[in-house]
Amino acid sequence: MEIQENFSLKDYNTFGIDAKARYYVEITSIEELIHALKLDEYPDKFIISGGSNMLITKDINALVMHINLKGIAVISEEDKAVIIEVMAGENWHDLVLWSLSHNYGGLENLSLIPGNTGTAPIQNIGAYGVELKDVFHSCDAMNIASTLIETFSKKACKFGYRDSFFKNEGKGKYIITSVRLRLSKKDHLLNTSYGAIDAELENNRIKNPSIQDVSNAVIAIRQRKLPDPNELGNSGSFFKNPVLGKSEFHEFEKAYPNAPFYSISDEEYKIPAGWLIEQCGYKGKRVGDAGVHKNQALVLVNYGNATGIEILNLANEIQESVFGKFRIKILPEVNIIG
Ligand code: EPU
């Protein structure tokens, strides 16, 4: 276990922000994780995984621990389903491809989401009508204070829209070490209800889609709309879609009858933040190397050398503009570090 100093994190966050870690260490086993957490000479510790949901706005004056635990295994098998255990450092999309290659169903709608498996439960990743919670069985997480591993059931994780226990009461207290998922082995239940998937399958004249077909459709849609972090730094949706209560929503609907929305229940309606941002004229806007993606206004991008502060300034300006026009507060989905 080698501790490096003044280590650039540019390749370790998908925004490609060139911030430095005062100290940096790669963690490849549970033993190393315990050892590093007990290093009293580095009192401040900071955990980084896939770096796909963070905006670093200044150098990190701590021991940055990069969780790189690897391994995927089937741990139990029934007639129709398997439970797999995936170590936290496994890349999420590689896991999706692995599941497809074994004909295990459940992850196909979550294709091409950047980041690692260990951070997927923190914000309950979701796309195209499916959320992690739909396939989640349980996870193991190390209690940072005790260095003991605790198991969290689905209920204990308190999943919500881009939300969980680990973003609230558990914040800063745990490091997820592995995630267990329940996947189907046959009679896969496909979720193609999300309009864009249906349209994509129809375009390709696919009548009885397989899980591979659904994954291909999701990949095609994402590639058209969302920038590849390997080509253009970004963290996916920068903001969460705001949720309006009934009366607030009815007023909004009266003023903007053509606005898209999803009804969550009779009481709650989600408005796409991308639409609100586009209406404010920000889609495709660029300020220096910070910008708003041309195909999806919910995604902020780094054209090369933007600092975290420059991206944050643009995000703040967008929030103010959306509030000024619609009186709706949009909140970041990504973690702002600094
Ligand atoms: N829209 C616009 N302009 C834009 C972007 C979107 O008018 O610039 C409109 C679209 O036309 C559509 C609606 O907004 O009517 C919804 O757009 P889309 O289907 O692209 O989904 P989204 O609400 O913008 C959410 C997730 C994405 C996920 C997609 C598909 C959040 C914060 N984002 O985006 O998640 O891929 O649905 O399920 O919930 C992510 O979290 O990083 C992410 C990409």
Side-chain angles (χ1 to χ4, degrees), residues 165-178:
F165 165 85
F166 298 103
K167 263 187 137 174
N168 296 291
E169 307 96 292
K171 192 169 179 171
K173 297 192 180 123
Y174 291 93
I175 299 168
I176 296 176
T177 51
S178 73

Side-chain angles (χ1 to χ4, degrees), residues 34-177:
I34 295 173
H35 180 76
L37 285 174
K38 288 186 172 167
L39 290 172
D40 290 337
E41 58 273 43
Y42 304 97
D44 296 322
K45 313 221 171 47
F46 183 91
I47 311 302
I48 191 165
S49 180
S52 63
N53 201 38
M54 54 166 59
L55 177 65
I56 310 177
T57 63
K58 62 176 194 191
D59 290 344
I60 301 180
N61 191 19
L63 174 64
V64 172
M65 299 166 52
H66 180 223
I67 308 298
N68 205 10
L69 305 168
K70 296 284 189 190
I72 306 177
V74 173
I75 56 166
S76 89
E77 189 154 2
E78 300 156 15
D79 180 34
K80 285 193 168 177
V82 283
I83 295 176
I84 61 168
E85 179 160 22
V86 188
M87 298 306 289
E90 287 290 343
N91 174 272
W92 177 264
H93 184 61
D94 288 349
L95 167 66
V96 175
L97 296 179
W98 178 92
S99 70
L100 292 169
S101 74
H102 288 78
N103 194 32
Y104 296 151
L107 303 183
E108 53 282 356
N109 294 47
L110 303 176
S111 297
L112 217 60
I113 296 183
N116 286 350
T117 306
T119 39
I122 300 179
Q123 57 153 345
N124 181 26
I125 58 169
Y128 306 105
V130 173
E131 289 184 334
L132 178 79
K133 73 170 171 46
D134 302 327
V135 287
F136 184 89
H137 175 275
S138 57
C139 69
D140 282 357
M142 185 169 289
N143 182 321
I144 293 175
S146 67
T147 68
L148 295 174
I149 295 214
E150 296 175 21
T151 296
F152 289 80
S153 67
K154 183 150 128 178
K155 190 161 175 241
C157 289
K158 297 189 182 165
F159 291 123
Y161 167 57
R162 297 293 193 274
D163 201 28
S164 76
F165 165 85
F166 298 103
K167 263 187 137 174
N168 296 291
E169 307 96 292
K171 192 169 179 171
K173 297 192 180 123
Y174 291 93
I175 299 168
I176 296 176
T177 51

Side-chain angles (χ1 to χ4, degrees), residues 271-284:
I271 313 294
W275 185 86
L276 299 171
I277 297 168
E278 184 173 347
Q279 298 303 306
C280 291
Y282 277 92
K283 194 170 185 170

